[in-house]
Amino acid sequence: MGKHPLGCILIFSVIASLGLVSFASCLISEAKRPKKDDLKLDRNLCFLPASHAWGFRVAALICLSVAQFIGNVVVCANCWSSGKARKTKKPILTAILLAFSWISFGVAFILISTAMSMSRTQRYGEGWLDGECYIVRGGVYISSGVLGLAAVLALLGAAAMMIRMNQVDQGQKVYAQNA
């Protein structure tokens, strides 16, 4: 990967674009989420119509998941380049960035999935949980979008560090052969 800078730029661009599409989808979902005014009460029963932004939520989940997958493939491919595990020390910062990326991704995925589930039609007497209607709080989609961006940025940072380490290792091998 380090030998082909155009390939690196292309893959990094794809990952960054997927992260931005996921973030934009979260912003649109926040704007179109069901509001308190949409809730209809009939004595003890409630009804909440479905949100029309379901496709944006699905797009956010898919784009974020694909970006996470591609980014981890890039990191793993650079970690185990030339078919065998690298013998050099792996920097602790790369591991921290990967862990942060996975944690942010997991929390964002759970937030979007749960909010998406709550945004479906909640019929009279059925509700979302135990016959009660629930409304997604304001800021849930925005915070999940920010977490998704943080996950993608951390992943890009880890991938860049692994590629840079490979380039440095290749440079040291060439220098050792010439000396």
Side-chain angles (χ1 to χ4, degrees):
M1 189 89 186
K3 294 179 184 177
H4 306 288
L6 187 60
C8 289
I9 292 170
L10 181 65
I11 289 178
F12 276 46
S13 297
V14 167
I15 295 170
S17 297
L18 287 169
L20 288 174
V21 168
S22 176
F23 180 70
S25 296
C26 286
L27 289 178
I28 294 169
S29 295
E30 180 69 31
K32 296 189 178 257
R33 71 179 172 78
K35 309 284 190 282
K36 194 173 183 179
D37 298 338
D38 298 331
L39 184 66
K40 297 177 181 136
L41 294 173
D42 183 26
R43 294 185 190 176
N44 292 338
L45 302 177
C46 61
F47 175 79
L48 187 66
S51 172
H52 301 336
W54 189 81
F56 290 108
R57 294 175 188 118
V58 171
L61 284 175
I62 290 172
C63 289
L64 186 59
S65 298
V66 170
Q68 188 75 11
F69 176 76
I70 292 172
N72 278 283
V73 167
V74 169
V75 170
C76 290
N78 282 295
C79 186
W80 287 286
S81 61
S82 74
K84 52 188 170 184
R86 300 181 65 213
K87 297 195 173 151
T88 60
K89 291 183 181 178
K90 296 177 187 162
I92 191 103
L93 185 58
T94 302
I96 290 171
L97 286 173
L98 275 177
F100 179 75
S101 173
W102 273 107
I103 291 168
S104 298
F105 168 76
V107 172
F109 193 90
I110 290 169
L111 278 173
I112 296 171
S113 298
T114 305
M116 194 166 92
S117 173
M118 290 173 68
S119 294
R120 68 173 208 258
T121 302
Q122 299 178 29
R123 302 194 187 288
Y124 286 111
E126 292 178 16
W128 183 67
L129 185 65
D130 296 330
E132 301 205 13
C133 291
Y134 289 85
I135 298 175
V136 178
R137 283 183 170 233
V140 169
Y141 291 112
I142 290 175
S143 61
S144 60
V146 169
L147 280 170
L149 271 183
V152 168
L153 290 175
L155 194 56
L156 287 173
M161 290 180 67
M162 290 302 292
I163 290 170
R164 184 69 184 142
M165 272 185 9
N166 275 351
Q167 289 174 342
V168 168
D169 288 348
Q170 292 296 328
Q172 289 175 349
K173 287 180 186 175
V174 168
Y175 180 74
Q177 288 176 353
N178 291 337

